[in-house]
Amino acid sequence: MSNLTILYHFAFHPGSRTARLALGEARIEFSEELVKPWEDDCPLHRLNPAGMPPVLTVADRGKILTLCEADAILGWIEDRAKGDVLMPGDLFERAEVRRLTTWFNRRFIDDVDAVLLHERMEKPLLRLGPPEARMLREGREALKVHLAMLEGLAASREWLAGRRLSQADLIAAGHLSVLDYFGEIAWASYPSLKTWYSKLKSRPCFRSLLSDRFPGVQPASWYTDLDF
Amino acid sequence: MSNLTILYHFAFHPGSRTARLALGEARIEFSEELVKPWEDDCPLHRLNPAGMPPVLTVADRGKILTLCEADAILGWIEDRAKGDVLMPGDLFERAEVRRLTTWFNRRFIDDVDAVLLHERMEKPLLRLGPPEARMLREGREALKVHLAMLEGLAASREWLAGRRLSQADLIAAGHLSVLDYFGEIAWASYPSLKTWYSKLKSRPCFRSLLSDRFPGVQPASWYTDLDF
């Protein structure tokens, strides 16, 4: 079974990291296939019409189930268990998980990833030239606003959406862990968020993320440190 | 109960339309509060930190449950019924619903809404000047690519994600119905999609959308016609 469960992912893509964390939390074994979505012969192009990672393929009653992108993988993890794995039981907390999912899927990607990760990650990968100072500044200012919002949540709750670890934490960790690798998070300014992140970082699901290395860029000195 | 179930929405916002369609399909009674998200005193600002419609408030055991944006409302409709209302039972079709949801939430919004609806809808509302011909052209070209993809789905399936009407149909209809109001869809080129849309348009949930009017713009001549 586990040999047929394959995650096609790019190690520094936030949604790909969310999928790895979620499969780890749900204790689902999987093989990994590292992909480069920007290359013409990338297997993603035949698996997902949108051409994006992560994609999980799973054998199901003699057929292959192809789960395209993080939301489909997260949804399948819930469906498969016929119960709440990474979703709280409480209706109010479920609403909060979904609000935060929308926040990350639109606002965080538009304001931060599409600016700051584009400059620091996509440009070197796609050989688009050096980062632009103005864009770096803009992305960092936007990141501060989002981190302040998340600090408020982490200060008042055990996990981002409430009393238990949920999809919202793993979605947030997918984005923040990539930014952290590039040294973009000044944790000292966000003490509650730092505590939240350190709890997540200590979980077994997180281990493989800490050994990822981006070509030509060493991780921030505290990236792999559990007591950062 | 129904008096306390209030949908805050903007009539020409695609996600707001999806929420209205979904509540209608699920036969949930609600009051409506029309909002203008771009105005400073819009009630959305205290309901949803992202400031976006749709928001549904629901009384639940003496507290108010605030559901921010379409995904939270769609998720709550499933939770509330403890069964499949707008989600298929089949795992393959559920995966397909979620793939299409991601497609619309990122690709369609980025390629089409943010370009074509920005020029035709947001600019007049926010008094940002006349539309730019280049942007209209770009948005219309992108729309053609998406409509061709949807035509392929509609030609091979009863509904977009498979054998039954699902969230995917209502998300697609939210976007396409706004574009249709503005006369942007050349239905004759997409015969299977046209059949799909005409099935949806005939459903009771669709009726209120057909009476929406945008200030200063008459709907396309076929907009309200069930046999267009």
Side-chain angles (χ1 to χ4, degrees), chain A residues 22 25-26 77-78 80-88 164-166:
Chain A
E25 278 295 319
I77 289 173
E78 300 306 304
R80 171 182 179 277
K82 294 189 176 62
D84 302 327
V85 184
L86 296 169
M87 282 297 281
R164 54 173 282 191
L165 182 144
S166 75

Side-chain angles (χ1 to χ4, degrees), chain A residues 79 94 98 105-106 110, chain B residues 79 94 98 105-106 110:
Chain A
D79 289 348
R94 291 173 83 86
R98 293 179 180 127
N105 284 351
R106 288 288 343 166
D110 286 355
Chain B
D79 288 348
R94 292 172 84 85
R98 294 179 181 127
N105 284 352
R106 288 285 345 163
D110 286 356

Side-chain angles (χ1 to χ4, degrees), chain B residues 65-84:
Chain B
L65 178 59
T66 303
L67 299 150
C68 297
E69 301 179 59
D71 286 352
I73 296 170
L74 292 170
W76 171 77
I77 289 172
E78 300 305 305
D79 288 348
R80 170 180 179 279
K82 294 188 177 63
D84 303 327

Side-chain angles (χ1 to χ4, degrees), chain B residues 6 9 24 39 43 75 86 98 115 126 134 175 200-201:
Chain B
I6 304 171
H9 73 95
E39 292 188 345
L86 296 169
R98 294 179 181 127
V115 185
L126 305 177
R134 190 179 57 82
H175 293 274
L200 265 179
K201 210 168 160 178

